[in-house]
Amino acid sequence: MTVAEFGLGERLGELRRTFQSGTTRSLAWRKAQLQALLNLVRDNEEQIFQVVHEDLGKHPVEAFRDESPLPLAFFPATAELLPEPLGVVLIFSCWNFPISLALEPLIGAISAGNAALIKPSEMAPACSSFLARVIPRYLDNKAIKVIEGGPETGAKLLEEKWDKIFFTGSPRVGRIIMSAAAKHLTPVTLELGGKCPVILDTRLSSSELEVAIKRIAWGKWGLCNGQSCVGVDYILVEEKFAPTLIDLLKKSIDQFYGRKAKDFKDLTRIVNRHHFERLHNLIKDPAVSDSIVHGGQVDKERMFIEPTILLDPPLEAEIMTEEIFGPFLPIITLKNIEESIEFVSSRPKPLVLYAFTKDETLKRLVLSRTSSGSVTFNDIAVQFMSDDLPFGGIGQSGLGKYHGKFSFEAFTHEKAVLRRNFIFDLESRYPPWSDFKLNFIRLLYKYDYFGIILLFLGLKG
Amino acid sequence: MDISLIHINIMPYHASSLPLVKLVNNGKVCAPRIRNLLGDREASITPKQTHPTSLRFSWRISSSFSSATESRPIMEDEMKKMERFDSDSAASLLKELRGTFASGKTKSYEWRVQQLKNMIKMIDDNERAIMEALQQDLAKPRFESFVSEISLTKAACNHALKELKHWMKPEKAKTAITTFPSSAEIVSEPFGIVLIISAWNYPFLLSLDPVVGAIAAGNSVVLKPSEISPATSSLLAKLLEDYLDSSAVRVVEGAVAETTALLEQKWDKILYTGNGKVGRIVMAAAAKHLTPVILELGGKSPVVVDSNVNLKVSARRIAAGKWGCNNGQACIAPDYIITTKAYAPTLIDGLKNILEEFFGKDPLESKDLSRIVNSNHFSRLAKLLDEDKVSGKIVHGGQRDETRLMIAPTILLDVPEDSLIMNEEIFGPLLPIITVDKVEDSFDIIKSRSKPLAAYLFTSSKKLEKEFVENISAGGMLINDTVVHLTNPSLPFGGVGESGIGSYHGKFSFDAFSHKKAVLYRSLYGDAPVRYPPYTPGKLRILRAILDGSIIGAILALIGFGKKKLE
């Protein structure tokens, strides 16, 4: 559906009218929509698995875990800080978690009482058309709409005035979104990515190490085969431990997926030709391909790439300067693990920093000397499931945060309301101003009540 | 080196205090740091020409000065470097500040407290100089300066000092069952280097209030005060250098060129106070580096007046908010009034009486009224008044004195909707009154316009109050008063839509300059195999139960009695 077919102006007008009418502000409406959304996910679970599988070949468990958003009901109302919806919001979702990255922000937009237009990623076409098909069936079509399309649709949408734009994707497009938003002073939330490092401190028992490495392997290949913004990008480890690390990673790969690279039923394929080529090019550099210590096979036809481990690829190679977003896992070795702090803090701020350690000093260093969207100790990606923690980046990895009550806040204007009565009024507030009034106010600010009395008695100048 | 033709701008108010000189070399302003090289040699300066807001001197460097300067080559070097603040100077300034920030110095509690204490001392020591600078820039009455600039800034410092320890504490967060066992917290960390671009109408408060927040949150700061209030700008440059840690807090003075040079750099956060046009430029520049912004803009803040109010108190509070705040040149000043046709004459009478009480029979002579900031703004306001369909609507005031840049408090009745005065932020002493049949009709008028920074309502009706709060969108809202919500540190101050993005004040300032880093701590005990591939239907059942929040279901599934069957 093109923008013209969609009748953008008209639809946007309808969204605006709906918002103006106040329908979306009522608690009943918000609850009904959230319930409908929940029904949508419940009723269409099987279909969600199917479309996700079609676009990404994701396994149902992975799809269920990542794609089914949890409802929330958070409607605070204090006398002084009144949360009010921003208006008509635009949500751009991303292809790697095509359902949840569209519905999660939508939950926030609805709970906050906004009207919303969703543009799912055209790179996951089955999911996109699924959303376009089912959302109107479940949700209030006057207030929530889906528009499908590619970059030209995106550009058309950005010309319009929105009250909030929520975008998940790359920093490059993030910049375009924010520049366009600037024209209308529209606030934005940008969920971007970056290279999420793992600092692996090996001062652990052997069973702990095994758990740690299993979690890392899962965090790399179990999350959409590396195509996740919170997935592991590379590992920092002490030189002497590298051989053991490689062995244990291989062991995890075997356990998860079996020995045959091409039969990865549980593994997600690369989303499209473009990304497949991009990834393939990363390892074409001879210096990089020489550093492959495991895997490296590709299936061009089915667009699968084998879980691949690289040892110390050149730091200036693209694989170490760009977000990998795929199944390559570089291991960077250091003399001692404290060097990892300098390594991380001298690069763009990542969305998540992972550190496996039991050492309190290292934990403190990680927290105080590096900056990232979030930090997770001793696990991968699980912070994403905690509704009580904000999710969002900093610097290159994004702007703004969401999840749980933070989603609600992302789509809310907190209106400051102060009520006064007509009774108490200080003369000193008003002109004409005299030294007497100035002194009075000065004393008042100092809480010098004795001075105030003296002043009134004329005993103080 | 020939520095024989240096113009020195000396602000008259520091006759009693340390010299504050600004070097202008061939029309280009040199950075304030050069001042130190001159020491207090202003005694040898002879005035050549005068300027309305600052005295301008031409000064031939006396031989005594030259001979006294032993570090000539350094000076020459410095002069060159400081001739113009361009992109390169901005880049090197940032590099220096980045070094300071990377050292971790600004993150310590002690550093933050010390800087805030120094700022309080700075204000206490220089109260007179601050008032004089404001007097010079805006003819701001001393009382207003004390209440709305000095006291509020100090209050912000004190509030931050009192609460800082509490603010800096990581916030405990709940964790989800899916990540059990774990603990979580939200850590506030400074963004890094922040840029604060402030405005001329409250040049002291709007500069330092955000600086307080940025310092409290542990950032390095560059402040760019408005060039439209030059005396305060120079004073801030001097005072901040003298009192605060200049390896982390800097002032860059200048106008468009300097601001552009600053905006080209990569900042970690930008706070801008001003108008929507520049706000858009700031945000577009920030987009290049994905820098988050806070935009404190303005808009036409309406006042709705019901007919059941206490007239004297209401009129007084409206008048104080409009003319007692920098003569209408405040972003939250009432812009226009909406009231009923029937009540309008009463309200106008009430306002007239109170105006006479405040400013006397001839307000142009009143010492309690600020002047218009400069001739540009004066002619802009004159144009609003002189528009054909507007000039006949004046019911009170209208006097002006162009030489002294004074405009009297002016009330207009029933100006047309399509007039200029109703379509741009007035930002001056003109107050149009729009009349409606029923007071409720005011809602549609406000809603049809862009969202204001503040909306005011005067009423005794609880019902109307409720409807107003529910239906009108604005940055902030105040019932039965104007402007004073700004002084409440427990309320965020900021706009929505055209009136701005983001907010600050009190804890909100700290939050505005802090990145909220989510931190999750997990142990390395073994995991349930459900998490890992190969994935089986049984695993899906457990996961579904866990995510559904059904503990019993999860346990049942774990022991193999899944109630929910897999479709």
Side-chain angles (χ1 to χ4, degrees), chain A residues 45 84 183 371 415 419, chain B residues 189 280 465 472-473 544:
Chain A
E45 207 172 87
E84 73 174 25
K183 287 192 199 94
S371 179
K415 184 162 71 177
R419 294 177 168 86
Chain B
E189 72 173 26
R280 287 174 166 82
E465 180 183 315
I472 303 297
S473 182
R544 188 205 309 265

Side-chain angles (χ1 to χ4, degrees), chain A residues 108-176:
Chain A
I110 293 173
S111 345
N114 296 277
L117 179 69
I118 304 148
K119 196 200 87 64
S121 168
E122 74 283 8
M123 280 158 77
C127 292
S128 168
S129 74
F130 167 78
L131 289 171
R133 210 167 53 243
V134 300
I135 284 185
R137 288 216 315 265
Y138 284 83
L139 302 182
D140 178 357
N141 200 22
K142 285 196 173 66
I144 296 152
K145 294 183 187 296
V146 181
I147 182 169
E148 289 191 86
E152 60 300 327
T153 309
K156 273 272 180 307
L157 291 174
L158 287 178
E159 284 169 17
E160 301 293 332
K161 177 173 166 36
W162 304 91
D163 298 306
K164 170 95 193 191
I165 300 177
F166 189 105
F167 167 79
T168 309
S170 70
R172 189 185 61 82
V173 183
R175 289 186 173 88
I176 297 173

Side-chain angles (χ1 to χ4, degrees), chain B residues 28 101 143 154 274 283 308 386 390 393 419-420 558 564:
Chain B
K28 288 170 187 164
F101 183 74
F143 182 88
K154 256 170 76 178
M283 187 168 169
N308 57 11
D386 293 343
V390 171
K393 308 284 187 185
S419 57
L420 279 178
L558 273 170
K564 296 177 181 183

Side-chain angles (χ1 to χ4, degrees), chain A residues 237-308:
Chain A
V237 73
E238 285 181 9
E239 215 165 32
K240 56 181 187 289
F241 189 74
T244 323
L245 171 62
I246 295 167
D247 280 349
L248 287 170
L249 282 171
K250 283 186 196 165
K251 204 174 122 196
S252 292
I253 296 173
D254 283 350
Q255 257 176 24
F256 293 174
Y257 307 112
R259 282 179 199 284
K260 279 192 189 161
K262 302 286 158 57
D263 288 345
F264 293 137
K265 231 175 66 198
D266 289 334
L267 207 57
T268 312
R269 71 164 162 74
I270 307 305
V271 63
N272 61 19
R273 192 56 59 197
H274 166 75
H275 276 275
F276 180 83
E277 291 302 330
R278 178 186 63 81
L279 285 164
H280 200 183
N281 283 335
L282 287 182
I283 54 165
K284 277 185 182 156
D285 179 347
V288 174
S289 63
D290 284 353
S291 68
I292 294 178
V293 292
H294 177 80
Q297 293 187 65
V298 298
D299 178 342
K300 280 192 176 174
E301 219 165 288
R302 288 164 57 216
M303 296 195 288
F304 274 106
I305 296 181
E306 189 184 5
T308 300

